[in-house]
Amino acid sequence: MKKIDLSRFSCRAEAYEASDDIPTNRSDAPTIGDVINRRFGRRDVLKGALGVAAMGAVAGTGLAALGGKKALAASASYSFTEIEHGVDETHHVAPGYSADVLIRWGDPIFADAPEFDPMNQSAESQAKQFGYNNDYIGYLPLPYGSDNAERGLLCVNHEYTNEEIMFPGLGKQDGDAEFAGMTQDLVDIEMAAHGGSVIEIAKSGGAWQVVRDSEYNRRITASGTEMELTGPAAGHDLMKTSADPSGTKVMGTINNCAGGMTPWGTYLMAEENFHGYFWGDVEGHPQQAAMERYGVPGAWYAWGAFYDRFDVSKEPNEANRFGWIVEVDPLDSTSTPKKRTALGRFKHEGGESVVNGDGRVVVYMGDDQRFDYLYKFVTAGTYNPDDRAANMDLLDEGTLYVAKFHEDGKVEWMPLVQGEGPLTAENGFPDQATVVTQARLAADALGATPLDRPEDVEPNPQTGKVYVMLTNNSRRKPEQVDAVNPRAENRFGQIVEITAANGDHGSTEDTWDMLVVCGDPADGAVGAMWNPATSENGWFACPDNCAVDNQGRLWISTDQGSGWSRSGTADGIWALETEGELRGTGMMFFRVPIGAEMCGPKFTPDDTTLFVAVQHPATDGTKAYPGFERSSTFEDPATRWPDFQDGVPPRPSVVAITKEGGGKIGS
Ligand code: FEO
Ligand code: CA
Ligand code: CA
């Protein structure tokens, strides 16, 4: 069985994306135009009147090419002092703000849950404690329907596990040592550390605290939470396994990356790199090509050694039951999460939604892999703000679309509907269940635009704009460059802005523009993430998640992975200008400890608290920094954030940021 060498990369998603031996989408979808005539070339000509050098002006405002600080006398829409860039063992926030750890991996979330004890972990304890690698954060004010910014439910994804720093004695799990020392007990702990948490939190004495005895508190795991498949693929032969001949019930959820909160207060968990949990062999299987298009089996984890359902040689269809958007009702801790198959199966980064003018709900979704696609789902029914129950199955009926970006600034949304265009039985799509289950193949057939790893996609309900984070793409070749992916060997990513036609998110023809091509403006390439009014070197790399505040301002979180995309500063939160002269420039507001990535930015409804998720501290890119040149282990981590106690490993944690003395973040 083929295993991936993870030695260079602790973040498994980044390892996957950086590895050479994994099939990526090589579909021959036509490129948008040749390099010379591409859209930016035309725009640069227009900007030539300003004396801006052609390549330097590609992104944002072209400030880099203007060559110095104070080149523009524009005022920023944010007022805080940017933090110093760098890398060290702890977190940093802008002056005048507090950044307090709210909850850590292993913290008990029930009244009867045991305290964290890293030397005596068990699956039973973990299932009552906050999970590992917090990613998406949702906030639902309590009581339901209010905009309470001092009491609510935090809905948090736990994307994956890093066994070498979770468990003592394992060492780095790579090369020949991969899976050495893994036991069923450890696998069971990993499964219980995956999934999500719903926790009630409340402000007490000005500080956020977890309400441990809340009736809402719940752990969702990979091994202990039964889920229902709903929508077109439910009950289809592709969903049937020996444990579930009905094809409608799945145990658990995995690799829940970003997500979303729906207008009716449910929590969407996006299943991203599900392929990594399966091992075995699909050679000769009728679904071999489809499995390989999804990278199944990825063999990142030892789960298949102990559970047949994670061995595709034995249970090939189990892999079809992951890669979905999971909808959870956080107001009922006994509710059964639903895997909403109408929204398609791919490596879902997130699922942020907006109520369209006609009442339909539109969910935007990225498929985070090199050369994969951007999707949106438009419900058939309409949202009823007066009847929550009437909305609970809205996500089962509607139309899934995939995006094609044209050189002239048009975005075409192509429906993934069986019987339309190439999606016929003759082409391998006999029914809608197959279309949604093999959504990547259907999108290939439609000629969707391969993108530089679509991560979070966030609509701005105030403006009709939609922000698309494209994080990086190590494998784009010069001949594959196009308008929306303007760089080969794209280390730093870009943010694309879609404008819904006439504010209609159900439109099948929108327009797009480049908000910023991230990266170093000094490298003479196309980066311009530099705000001369505020920063010597304010550019950033690798946008991953984002949040839009009540003023319609955009906040970005970054994930640079390890080494290859590094900018020289730790990941963090950036306030990004989207309008005016400073459009495309940003300031760093928060910084994570070494080896972490930044996830989950979420504001309370009044913007007075910003919750952020510090994921995998100590693991990623540590070798690049003096004093840290090693791969972290339980015994010897690059940082012991946030406890800084001997014997206590680093712990992924949610941090609550507030302004000292009160007030809106970034005001
Ligand atoms: Fe889990 Fe695409 O980041
Ligand atoms: Ca992400
Ligand atoms: Ca990430």
Side-chain angles (χ1 to χ4, degrees):
M1 182 178 53
K2 189 161 152 182
K3 290 182 182 171
I4 299 166
D5 176 9
L6 296 172
S7 59
R8 295 164 300 156
F9 307 101
S10 294
C11 172
R12 290 196 145 110
E14 292 301 327
Y16 182 71
E17 290 305 325
S19 63
D20 282 320
D21 54 357
I22 302 300
T24 56
N25 177 17
R26 307 286 189 205
S27 86
D28 292 322
T31 56
I32 295 169
D34 68 38
V35 178
I36 295 167
N37 290 321
R38 69 178 193 258
R39 186 157 177 245
F40 288 126
R42 286 196 295 104
R43 296 180 74 212
D44 292 342
V45 170
L46 295 175
K47 287 188 176 180
L50 298 173
V52 176
M55 287 311 287
V58 165
T61 58
L63 296 174
L66 292 172
K69 292 179 70 175
K70 316 280 187 199
L72 290 176
S75 59
S77 61
Y78 303 89
S79 62
F80 65 86
T81 303
E82 183 170 19
I83 61 172
E84 191 176 339
H85 300 179
V87 180
D88 63 21
E89 293 182 40
T90 193
H91 66 278
H92 301 267
V93 70
Y97 289 84
S98 299
D100 302 316
V101 173
L102 172 63
I103 188 166
R104 304 160 293 188
W105 164 52
D107 278 340
I109 66 163
F110 300 101
D112 65 345
E115 294 294 330
F116 180 60
D117 181 352
M119 297 305 289
N120 292 288
Q121 299 179 51
S122 71
E124 188 183 15
S125 299
Q126 178 64 81
K128 294 180 175 180
Q129 297 166 335
F130 197 61
Y132 205 77
N133 272 346
N134 33 217
D135 197 304
Y136 176 75
I137 301 174
Y139 177 84
L140 181 66
L142 289 176
Y144 177 72
S146 74
D147 57 2
N148 197 344
E150 302 208 332
R151 178 178 168 238
L153 299 180
L154 218 57
C155 303
V156 183
N157 283 352
H158 302 297
E159 188 182 21
Y160 67 102
T161 49
N162 294 88
E163 62 273 7
E164 76 281 6
I165 55 170
M166 287 177 71
F167 306 128
L170 282 183
K172 179 68 180 165
Q173 296 284 292
D174 54 27
D176 292 340
E178 193 167 11
F179 306 140
M182 286 303 293
T183 63
Q184 187 162 359
D185 283 348
L186 294 180
V187 166
D188 288 347
I189 295 169
E190 288 188 323
M191 289 178 162
H194 276 70
S197 294
V198 176
I199 49 173
E200 182 177 339
I201 58 170
K203 251 185 171 176
S204 172
W208 285 100
Q209 296 189 331
V210 176
V211 181
R212 265 173 66 169
D213 58 357
S214 169
E215 63 179 304
Y216 299 111
N217 290 1
R218 152 173 222 187
R219 273 305 319 283
I220 293 162
T221 71
S223 50
T225 310
E226 188 169 274
M227 313 208 160
E228 185 183 344
L229 287 156
T230 69
H236 191 272
D237 283 351
L238 288 168
M239 299 298 126
K240 293 175 180 170
T241 65
S242 51
D244 173 34
S246 76
T248 60
K249 299 207 179 310
V250 187
M251 181 53 75
T253 183
I254 47 179
N255 213 265
N256 307 90
C257 189
M261 298 299 292
T262 64
W264 52 96
T266 59
Y267 158 35
L268 302 183
M269 310 171 71
E271 295 184 323
E272 194 187 28
N273 290 298
F274 64 93
H275 64 291
Y277 297 79
F278 295 89
W279 73 5
D281 189 355
V282 292
E283 192 76 32
H285 190 277
Q287 295 178 56
Q288 181 180 351
M291 296 249 188
E292 289 179 347
R293 178 66 178 86
Y294 284 83
V296 174
W300 294 354
Y301 287 92
W303 298 9
F306 306 102
Y307 295 97
D308 284 353
R309 70 185 181 115
F310 290 107
D311 182 343
V312 286
S313 307
K314 296 170 181 167
E315 286 288 354
N317 280 349
E318 186 71 358
N320 292 333
R321 292 142 59 89
F322 295 88
W324 303 104
I325 292 285
V326 183
E327 185 174 15
V328 177
D329 182 2
L331 293 175
D332 177 1
S333 61
T334 67
S335 61
T336 301
K338 310 273 178 68
K339 296 200 176 190
R340 301 294 188 186
T341 68
L343 279 69
R345 173 173 165 267
F346 42 92
K347 294 178 185 174
H348 282 281
E349 171 71 22
E352 295 284 3
S353 56
V354 63
V355 179
N356 200 35
D358 58 11
R360 293 182 297 168
V361 176
V362 180
V363 186
Y364 288 94
M365 301 173 288
D367 181 353
D368 180 12
Q369 188 165 318
R370 296 188 301 258
F371 302 106
D372 259 292
Y373 307 132
L374 173 68
Y375 297 81
K376 73 175 177 184
F377 178 78
V378 183
T379 59
T382 56
Y383 169 61
N384 184 341
D386 302 318
D387 183 359
R388 183 170 190 252
N391 304 310
M392 295 305 272
D393 292 320
L394 264 183
L395 298 183
D396 278 343
E397 283 186 47
T399 305
L400 180 65
Y401 297 90
V402 67
K404 184 173 199 167
F405 289 83
H406 292 262
E407 172 191 352
D408 63 359
K410 187 173 80 178
V411 188
E412 180 185 353
W413 293 99
M414 303 179 293
L416 277 72
V417 174
Q418 197 277 334
E420 290 191 17
L423 305 182
T424 60
E426 298 73 50
N427 288 336
F429 301 101
D431 46 41
Q432 187 62 17
T434 305
V435 169
V436 294
T437 304
Q438 316 298 7
R440 282 184 163 185
L441 285 79
D444 292 345
L446 289 167
T449 301
L451 298 166
D452 288 345
R453 296 186 56 199
E455 298 254 21
D456 221 350
V457 186
E458 183 105 10
N460 181 339
Q462 299 179 9
T463 61
K465 307 272 190 196
V466 181
Y467 300 109
V468 183
M469 310 295 116
L470 300 176
T471 198
N472 58 50
N473 183 348
S474 58
R475 300 288 173 251
R476 188 171 291 275
K477 298 188 176 78
E479 62 270 24
Q480 294 172 310
V481 164
D482 57 37
V484 73
N485 306 283
R487 272 186 299 205
E489 297 178 12
N490 178 8
R491 297 169 65 198
F492 297 128
Q494 63 264 22
I495 301 176
V496 170
E497 179 187 73
I498 293 173
T499 302
N502 304 310
D504 177 11
H505 291 274
S507 163
T508 55
E509 193 173 307
D510 295 333
T511 55
W512 72 272
D513 203 346
M514 190 66 75
L515 173 55
V516 61
V517 178
C518 306
D520 186 350
D523 70 5
V526 288
M529 196 58 216
W530 185 19
N531 183 342
T534 56
S535 173
E536 290 282 355
N537 185 22
W539 59 274
F540 69 60
C542 305
D544 187 338
N545 301 130
C546 64
V548 175
D549 70 17
N550 271 319
Q551 298 176 58
R553 302 179 306 183
L554 185 61
W555 301 73
I556 305 294
S557 68
T558 63
D559 173 15
Q560 300 167 87
S562 41
W564 181 72
S565 292
R566 287 265 147 197
S567 63
T569 190
D571 283 314
I573 297 284
W574 298 77
L576 186 65
E577 302 286 354
T578 57
E579 305 292 340
E581 277 188 297
L582 292 177
R583 175 179 158 91
T585 65
M587 295 192 294
M588 195 175 200
F589 178 71
F590 180 85
R591 200 175 100 195
V592 298
I594 186 168
E597 74 173 88
M598 183 87 275
C599 302
K602 178 66 74 179
F603 289 95
T604 49
D606 62 357
D607 294 339
T608 58
T609 299
L610 174 61
F611 298 104
V612 295
V614 175
Q615 195 188 64
H616 61 73
T619 71
D620 231 359
T622 56
K623 290 180 181 175
Y625 296 102
F628 297 106
E629 303 98 332
R630 61 192 186 278
S631 295
S632 289
T633 60
F634 181 95
E635 289 76 15
D636 184 23
T639 177
R640 292 188 185 276
W641 186 90
D643 300 295
F644 296 107
Q645 283 180 29
D646 288 346
V648 178
R651 300 166 76 182
S653 303
V654 171
V655 172
I657 302 173
T658 53
K659 196 170 187 178
E660 290 166 4
K664 294 179 186 295
I665 304 289
S667 59

